Amino acid sequence: MCGRVRCTLHVHQVARACGLTSGDDASSLPARQMDRYRPSYNVSPGACLPVVRKAAVGEEAAPAIHCMKWGLVPSFTKKTDKPDHYKMFNARSESIKEKTSFRRLLPTNRCLVAVEGFYEWKKDGSKKQPYYIHFEDQRPLVFAALYDSWSNSEGEILYTFTILTTRCSAALEWLHDRMPVILGNKDSIDIWLNSCAMNFEAVLRPYEGPDLVWYPVTPAVGKRSFDCPECIKEIQLKPTGDKLISMFFTLKPAAADQSEKGGTQKPSSELSQTHYSTCSVKGEHLSNEYEEPKKDEKTVQSDDFASPKMETGQQEICGIKREFEEITADYKPKVENISSWPCSPAKKKERTTKNAGERQASLLSYFGKK
DNA sequence: CCAGACGTTGTT
DNA sequence: GTCTGG
DNA sequence: CCAGACGTTGTT
DNA sequence: GTCTGG
């Protein structure tokens, strides 16, 4: 599921992530109600986020950015009802064609939501540990979403959206069984937003790319009022008893990790994603969505990992694609550009899947640094 | 026909 | 709005 | 989803 | 534990 996100992006970053503009000039963008947007490290349903949608009938042809409330309130909701944004803040992508509340939105009300990352809580019995999931290179995640509008008794029009979910990627299964639908490349984005045919099935799948990474964060992020860079600061987890024991009796911990690769076991790595990344196969394309950032790749996707095959007609649509890098090239992490956060700025450690192995190779690291 | 629902998540 | 159940 | 409450009576 | 509120 996906019930909490970080979105401190600027409007032009959202536009860019969703493939709307080529430059930083957002002034020409059709933007609606953007004054309601409050960038936040801790966004939950009920809050407004910038949404990219196709222009409504009668407007300019180009897509537009529209600030909408997270948590779908269907247009048929009684005018006297109190809108409940927590009832439908997610939509199961597997069943959107059957569910009456969502099916009617599919032809014309598909949209995109761009965020820096999302939070997921790992349940351990009665304990809950939140993790922050994001792209390693800090480019925004683009979620597939659906929107609707509803008029209340006062005649005010409320725009709301719901984020599509799918089963979890292999890499994140240890954490959860559901994840948001991440449109990992320009083709997916274009198909979800612009394809007039109902041929979007192929993009509604788990994002399996190895560049989706995570780490544990403070449980304080559970409080909606806790909104500051500390939300995304990595914390050191206390090792559990069995982890300690297994470390004592395992001479080569990395080898033990490798043995889990491809298996059904959960990576015993709630400590950090880096631990698990040693399990992924070098050079193996695990994803159907992930697009290798190669400059000269011209084709839609290599067949080796293009998974759910696109029909011939659909490749036509993919032909519109531009290089993904083109729209992500100048994303930079900009945690500092919001000046008035009450908490101290997060000092995100440089950490990649490359050096990941080193970090967990040491037995000492399991006792925390002193 | 009319009335009433229309959703996801997690947990055991 | 549209489908299901009675 | 997570956080936070979870109750009644009688008196002023 | 379970319900309500956001």
Side-chain angles (χ1 to χ4, degrees):
Chain A
M1 81 99 216
C2 179
R4 207 70 74 89
V5 304
R6 169 199 177 187
C7 185
T8 56
L9 295 167
H10 290 289
V11 182
H12 74 266
Q13 292 179 293
V14 173
R16 199 161 244 257
C18 297
L20 281 202
T21 55
S22 49
D24 290 286
D25 176 29
S27 56
S28 61
L29 274 175
R32 304 284 299 159
Q33 302 177 323
M34 281 310 297
D35 53 308
R36 300 184 184 186
Y37 171 47
R38 294 290 174 272
S40 169
Y41 285 89
N42 199 343
V43 182
S44 51
C48 290
L49 285 178
V51 164
V52 170
R53 57 159 176 80
K54 274 203 278 192
V57 184
E59 290 184 1
E60 323 86 85
I65 290 203
H66 196 148
C67 200
M68 301 187 191
K69 262 190 178 178
W70 184 8
L72 193 86
V73 177
S75 58
F76 53 73
T77 303
K78 293 189 199 71
K79 289 190 181 302
T80 53
D81 276 3
K82 196 175 82 181
D84 183 354
H85 299 288
Y86 288 83
K87 216 152 87 178
M88 286 182 263
F89 60 87
N90 284 154
R92 293 180 68 92
S93 59
E94 298 93 333
S95 55
I96 47 175
K97 283 185 170 168
E98 283 80 54
K99 302 292 182 182
T100 57
S101 293
F102 303 135
R103 186 179 48 195
R104 55 194 198 87
L105 304 174
L106 289 175
T108 58
N109 289 49
R110 308 200 296 260
C111 61
L112 308 170
V113 177
V115 303
E116 283 112 323
F118 65 99
Y119 303 96
E120 197 65 77
W121 277 258
K122 162 83 178 158
K123 281 218 163 111
D124 284 315
S126 56
K127 314 280 183 203
K128 280 177 291 186
Q129 174 58 51
Y131 289 77
Y132 178 63
I133 301 107
H134 64 101
F135 274 135
E136 190 168 26
D137 64 359
Q138 312 299 327
R139 74 183 188 277
L141 309 175
V142 177
F143 294 154
L146 292 166
Y147 75 93
D148 203 354
S149 62
W150 168 72
S151 298
N152 66 13
S153 50
E154 321 245 298
E156 296 158 340
I157 301 175
L158 176 69
Y159 286 88
T160 59
F161 68 90
T162 185
I163 294 173
L164 270 59
T165 62
T166 182
R167 69 163 209 280
C168 241
S169 65
L172 280 168
E173 257 171 359
W174 63 273
L175 174 62
H176 225 278
D177 61 334
R178 307 290 300 169
M179 72 187 292
V181 171
I182 297 166
L183 303 172
N185 57 48
K186 181 77 172 98
D187 294 333
S188 307
I189 289 172
D190 191 55
I191 289 173
W192 179 248
L193 189 64
N194 296 321
S195 166
C196 44
M198 300 279 274
N199 60 350
F200 44 74
E201 208 93 301
V203 305
L204 304 182
R205 1 185 81 277
Y207 183 89
E208 302 278 4
D211 54 342
L212 192 62
V213 296
W214 61 86
Y215 53 81
V217 295
T218 173
V221 77
K223 290 183 196 288
R224 285 174 291 271
S225 59
F226 191 75
D227 177 16
C228 56
E230 200 186 328
C231 287
I232 60 158
K233 183 180 178 187
E234 180 171 4
I235 65 164
Q236 186 70 42
L237 288 186
K238 274 191 180 169
T240 62
D242 51 306
K243 279 196 188 67
L244 275 175
I245 290 164
S246 70
M247 284 307 297
F248 273 121
F249 289 96
T250 305
L251 290 178
K252 303 175 82 179
D257 282 339
Q258 287 291 338
S259 72
E260 291 175 337
K261 160 192 74 180
T264 54
Q265 307 174 53
K266 299 171 180 184
S268 54
S269 77
E270 288 114 50
L271 289 178
S272 80
Q273 163 271 331
T274 59
H275 187 169
Y276 180 61
S277 63
T278 63
C279 300
S280 45
V281 188
K282 272 190 161 62
E284 178 183 341
H285 290 299
L286 300 171
S287 166
N288 35 61
E289 295 298 336
Y290 174 67
E291 180 170 313
E292 194 73 11
K294 273 199 214 128
K295 298 226 150 112
D296 38 349
E297 280 284 334
K298 264 309 220 340
T299 48
V300 172
Q301 273 170 342
S302 314
D303 288 312
D304 339 54
F305 62 105
S307 96
K309 304 300 176 208
M310 299 218 153
E311 321 245 339
T312 331
Q314 294 173 320
Q315 297 198 351
E316 214 42 59
I317 293 156
C318 298
I320 306 171
K321 114 171 194 175
R322 281 177 270 142
E323 289 302 323
F324 190 37
E325 287 187 339
E326 185 180 318
I327 57 173
T328 56
D330 55 12
Y331 284 125
K332 300 279 190 292
K334 285 180 182 170
V335 169
E336 304 76 14
N337 60 7
I338 294 172
S339 49
S340 56
W341 296 108
C343 303
S344 59
K347 284 166 264 173
K348 189 170 189 314
K349 242 181 300 180
E350 259 317 316
R351 187 173 52 68
T352 69
T353 49
K354 300 281 198 306
N355 63 28
E358 309 166 20
R359 289 183 78 243
Q360 64 97 36
S362 154
L363 178 59
L364 280 179
S365 66
Y366 277 79
F367 294 92
K369 40 194 73 151
K370 288 281 138 55

